[in-house]
Amino acid sequence: MVARLLAFALSREAAFSDTTVGKRKIEGGQIRRSRVIRDFGDVNAPLEAAFRARLSQAITALRVPPFTLDSLSLELAAHGDGDFYRRHIDTFIGGEKTATDRILTGVYYFHALPRAFTGGELRLFSLRPIEHGGAHLDIEPPCDSLLLFPAWAPHEVLPVSCPEGNFAQSRFAINCWYNGTA
């Protein structure tokens, strides 16, 4: 799957667009800077099947209350030199609420070998603020690995360093949101 996804990403490089947060573009990338694509063509079906196959195990392991899966939302993010995503959660709040909620977040990492970038760790934060004893955990983005966590968990993508600036050397991740109702 890694070789297939890498070939797909590289063949579609021109189709990637600058990231947005919600439905608005962030000027200068103060919150998020990367490039994404949401059309997976013929790799969409096997990706969705792979993510769906992990749902039951994730619910048990994460102790998430069972929910009705309404849909999956997928995006392929490419983080190149200097790209990042500041601390955020993946659920909608306030006026942004939709008919279904993001319950779980899945991140599948893949990249060219040998790995040419540094950084890009996923930082998961505790719910307690750091100034009140809270902590964080930095998770490396190893190739061909899947990380699942509750969509309400605060997290960020630490800056990526890819000095040659070659798209093929980016930190690639497929972000999957399990959308559902309780």
Side-chain angles (χ1 to χ4, degrees):
M1 186 56 98
V2 170
R4 187 176 181 188
L5 289 172
L6 268 173
F8 173 79
L10 298 179
S11 73
R12 302 289 309 274
E13 179 180 359
F16 278 75
S17 61
D18 291 340
T19 51
T20 60
V21 175
K23 296 192 186 302
R24 59 195 192 321
K25 187 172 181 175
I26 303 300
E27 291 299 320
Q30 302 92 348
I31 295 174
R32 182 181 189 188
R33 192 176 90 184
S34 60
R35 297 174 63 201
V36 295
I37 191 170
R38 292 183 178 88
D39 177 7
F40 287 88
D42 65 348
V43 297
N44 192 73
L47 279 174
E48 282 204 14
F51 279 109
R52 287 176 188 274
R54 290 354 180 248
L55 180 58
S56 179
Q57 183 182 4
I59 286 172
T60 301
L62 296 171
R63 297 184 179 142
V64 173
F67 64 94
T68 301
L69 180 64
D70 296 327
S71 65
L72 297 178
S73 299
L74 300 174
E75 76 175 12
L76 169 51
H79 286 84
D81 193 46
D83 289 348
F84 60 89
Y85 196 166
R86 302 266 189 256
R87 183 178 172 149
H88 65 284
I89 59 173
D90 289 342
T91 57
F92 295 106
I93 57 173
E96 295 183 271
K97 188 169 173 63
T98 60
T100 61
D101 293 323
R102 290 177 173 175
I103 308 293
L104 290 176
T105 296
V107 183
Y108 175 75
Y109 299 106
F110 66 99
H111 52 77
L113 295 173
R115 180 175 149 175
F117 68 88
T118 57
E121 297 87 354
L122 181 80
R123 177 169 284 176
L124 288 172
F125 293 92
S126 66
L127 295 178
R128 180 178 290 175
I130 291 175
E131 59 271 11
H132 292 88
H136 64 266
L137 173 67
D138 292 343
I139 302 169
E140 288 284 326
C143 190
D144 193 24
S145 65
L146 174 65
L147 176 65
L148 294 156
F149 55 93
W152 48 259
H155 61 284
E156 73 177 290
V157 175
L158 297 179
V160 171
S161 178
C162 190
E164 293 182 27
N166 185 338
F167 182 75
Q169 297 174 341
S170 297
R171 171 200 181 268
F172 294 105
I174 296 178
N175 299 316
C176 175
W177 295 282
Y178 294 80
N179 306 310
T181 50

